[in-house]
Amino acid sequence: DQQVKQNSPSLSVQEGRISILNCDYTNSMFDYFLWYKKYPAEGPTFLISISSIKDKNEDGRFTVFLNKSAKHLSLHIVPSQPGDSAVYFCAAGDGAQKLVFGQGTRLTINP
Amino acid sequence: SAVISQKPSRDICQRGTSLTIQCQVDSQVTMMFWYRQQPGQSLTLIATANQGSEATYESGFVIDKFPISRPNLTFSTLTVSNMSPEDSSIYLCSVDWGRGANVLTFGAGSRLTVL
């Protein structure tokens, strides 16, 4: 049972435009959500997170939106830059330090 | 920021053999987590390694296949035993540095290919 799903395996966006990555979850016990970014041959690095008591968190060019009723979160990157090209994982936790990850979305920013 | 070092970074292994992956962190941590990423798949938690006690395994993972050691607060090993091609994956260790709720920091991973 895939509790966290990223239905788009890849996304291609033009430099300077907005990138929107989506993630759905099924477990209503999740109370914390995170986005990780992964370059080839490197481990995932933490990007941004949001608690279930919020519906938006912003950090520079990155904004995460949470819609609890729809069990959906999204990551917006604006403006997109070539260095943003990577695989993005969403993850969810229930406070127990263990994270459940989605399958990842490969984002390619085209010049 | 704190550093997590894993080795080997990659290896090619023969079916039926075992390989031990090492994870060294430069600060003491209570819990270390071992994840697996099979090709094209999500990261899946294998087990949580606590210093001074047996590791706690997730559903679908057993100690005989993935024995874990945690001799001190800065080091852990994961062994992949009696390997088959299905064990070809990236294995990652991670720790919680206390940066915030559920924020884990990952090592670079160990990419194993089993022939």
Side-chain angles (χ1 to χ4, degrees), chain A residues 69-87:
Chain A
S69 61
K71 293 189 175 66
H72 177 83
L73 67 155
S74 61
L75 174 68
H76 292 208
I77 306 173
V78 56
S80 300
Q81 299 175 354
D84 296 329
S85 295
V87 177

Side-chain angles (χ1 to χ4, degrees), chain A residues 7 14 29 31-32 43 49 51-52 57 59-60 68 84 88 93 111:
Chain A
N7 291 317
Q14 193 169 1
M29 297 302 292
D31 60 3
Y32 215 83
S49 63
S51 162
S52 61
N57 188 28
D59 183 2
K68 288 190 294 292
D84 296 329
Y88 289 79

Side-chain angles (χ1 to χ4, degrees), chain A residues 97-98, chain B residues 3-6 21-35 45-51 54-56 58 68-78 92-97 104-107:
Chain A
Q97 290 182 298
K98 297 188 288 188
Chain B
V3 175
I4 303 174
S5 302
Q6 269 187 250
I21 302 166
Q22 300 180 5
C23 181
Q24 177 77 53
V25 300
D26 66 354
S27 299
Q28 295 183 342
V29 291
T30 304
M31 289 193 285
M32 296 174 74
F33 306 89
W34 286 97
Y35 280 82
L45 181 64
I46 298 172
T48 302
N50 301 310
Q51 194 271 334
E54 283 204 5
T56 304
E58 298 300 306
I68 287 173
S69 78
R70 184 79 200 275
N72 56 53
L73 290 173
T74 62
F75 187 78
S76 178
T77 67
L78 169 75
L92 302 118
C93 75
S94 66
V95 301
D96 182 350
W97 294 120
L104 299 181
T105 300
F106 286 84

Side-chain angles (χ1 to χ4, degrees), chain B residues 81-109:
Chain B
S81 303
N82 188 24
M83 285 185 284
S84 67
E86 292 71 34
D87 295 318
S88 297
S89 297
I90 301 174
Y91 293 86
L92 302 118
C93 75
S94 66
V95 301
D96 182 350
W97 294 120
R99 296 173 59 188
N102 289 135
V103 177
L104 299 181
T105 300
F106 286 84

